[in-house]
Each structure stands twice: as C-alpha cells, then as structure tokens.
Amino acid sequence: MTLAAIFIAGILAAGAGAEDGDVLFQASTIDALLEGVYDGDVTFSELGEHGDFGIGTVNALDGEMIALDGQFYQIRTDGKVYPVEEEKKTPFAAVTFFGADRTEEIRDIGGIEELERVLDGMLPSRNIFYAIRIDGEFDYIKTRSVPRQERPYPPLADVVKEQTVFELRGVKGTIAGFWCPAYVKGIGVPEYHLHFIAADRSAGGHLLDCRVKEAVCGIDDTGRFYMALPGTVDFLKTDLSGERSGALKKVEK
Ligand SMILES: [Zn+2]
C-alpha cells in the first residue's frame, strides 16, 4: 500500500471522524465576515458547549480569538491577551472538542509554507476536516490582529489594511486551527487557518508566519460539520451570492 492508502485505511478503521463523533461547529460564514457582518448571536458560553478548541473573532471584530483546553482568549491590537467573557458573542468562530488522532514531532521548520507542506503529509484525505494543534518552541512567530470596528462596518479587506502585526522570537506556545477542504469556499477558509498563543498568554494572534524549533503536532480527523447561521438582520439582509475567493486571500495571508 502507498503511504496515503495506509493513512486512509487508518482513517477507515478509526471511523474517519464521522463515526467517532468529531464535529467542527462553525458560527456564521467567512463570506459574511468579509462583507462586514461583525455581530453574531452565538455567545461564548454557547460556543463552549460545542468545543474546547478553536479560532475566530469577537463581536465588533474585536481582535483574534483562540480557544485552548476550554479557555477562550482574545488578542486585541494592543498585542495583549484577554480572557473572553462568557456573555460576549462571536460573528465568526470554528470550534471542536480536540482529541488528536495522530501526533508527530516536528523540528527546524523554516517558514509557514514549509510547515504547511509538513502538515499536508499528516492529512490522509483532502475531503474531510482537521483540527490542528502544535505545541512547542518557535524561533519566530509573526501574527496580526484587527482593530475593533464601529458601525457602519467596512468590509474586512478594508479593516485588514489597518491590522497590527506582531513579531515574536524564541517563544513557547501553541498554534491552533483548522484545515478545511476546498469545497467549503464561501462558507469557511479552504486549507489552513491557524492562530497562535504564547504559553505564558502574553501574546498571540492570527498566524502569518513562523519558524518551528521543535514541537509536537496533533491532528484530529473531523468528519462532521455543523454551521449555525446568525438570525440577525445584518446577516439575513446581506447579499452573500457573490464570489469572494480573491478578497479572502487578501485578508488571510
Ligand atoms: Zn484568523
């Protein structure tokens, strides 16, 4: 058998996430966020019922969100990490209950593209979802956060022009996020969407680049996807029929 065939045999034996009940729970759609729908109706307390791990943002687009071990954190443009109060809401988030189906030690990785190629080798199929958690030491981390917005909300591509970029060197911490199949286009972020938080919870954000010294990478195969759409007027009235792949590339990279 080829390596891919062995991987897939492993997934089939383990029940591909679909049978082991792993669900990626997502609030709203990425295209709604791109269009400036920055207020959702799912509270962080509700989000916590659907996962202890994940990424997203907070209402009014108030920074980058990362959830680890049931704790929800928000990284604002001041670069600081804040716990997210349970009553706050999210306009876009993806969470799951994380349990690695496989782990691998990785080291001496020179950049985000190299990391993505290494991770590619750990994903047995490009047709299911994966939660990814990388704990370790990083020679370099580059993240960004976005500034809290006031109504009327501008589109995300305009907000990202005002993003704040952070660079960290010699930092311990965790990269967390998801890999989604190409067919989620419009709903979620195809391929990798990763956030970072420092082990001492002093810094973090949406991951733009990194160099890995040594780390353990866990992959959670996820065969179910649940989407909770906002019942807000903003969401219901926004025209989401267009094609936004180009805009998405600009905001995520
Ligand atoms: Zn992000």
Side-chain angles (χ1 to χ4, degrees), residues 154-176:
L156 190 54
D158 290 353
V159 175
V160 165
K161 289 177 194 156
E162 315 288 314
Q163 72 184 8
T164 310
V165 172
F166 309 104
E167 291 181 294
L168 308 165
R169 286 184 172 80
V171 60
K172 285 185 184 161
T174 303
I175 293 172

Side-chain angles (χ1 to χ4, degrees), residues 40-48 85-90:
D41 55 9
V42 174
T43 64
F44 278 87
S45 126
E46 286 173 71
L47 204 56
E85 292 98 342
E86 287 202 322
E87 64 275 12
K88 284 206 172 163
K89 293 174 181 172
T90 182

Side-chain angles (χ1 to χ4, degrees), residues 64-124:
E64 307 284 346
M65 188 279 284
I66 179 167
L68 283 182
D69 306 319
Q71 301 291 313
F72 290 83
Y73 305 97
Q74 156 185 24
I75 298 100
R76 294 206 175 98
T77 46
D78 62 3
K80 294 193 180 128
V81 177
Y82 300 84
V84 186
E85 292 98 342
E86 287 202 322
E87 64 275 12
K88 284 206 172 163
K89 293 174 181 172
T90 182
F92 181 79
V95 297
T96 192
F97 288 100
F98 190 86
D101 288 301
R102 77 195 69 85
T103 59
E104 218 170 273
E105 285 181 26
I106 56 176
R107 61 178 66 239
D108 301 328
I109 291 172
I112 187 97
E113 279 163 21
E114 188 182 340
L115 175 64
E116 291 183 356
R117 296 299 77 80
V118 169
L119 293 172
D120 283 348
M122 296 179 70
L123 311 181

Side-chain angles (χ1 to χ4, degrees), residues 22-24 47-53 95-100 131 220 222:
D22 279 329
V23 181
L24 194 167
L47 204 56
E49 291 169 19
H50 299 284
D52 57 4
F53 169 99
V95 297
T96 192
F97 288 100
F98 190 86
D220 189 0
T222 303

Side-chain angles (χ1 to χ4, degrees), residues 64 144 193-195 206 252:
E64 307 284 346
R144 71 104 193 273
H193 184 187
L194 303 169
H195 287 189
H206 172 101
E252 292 299 326

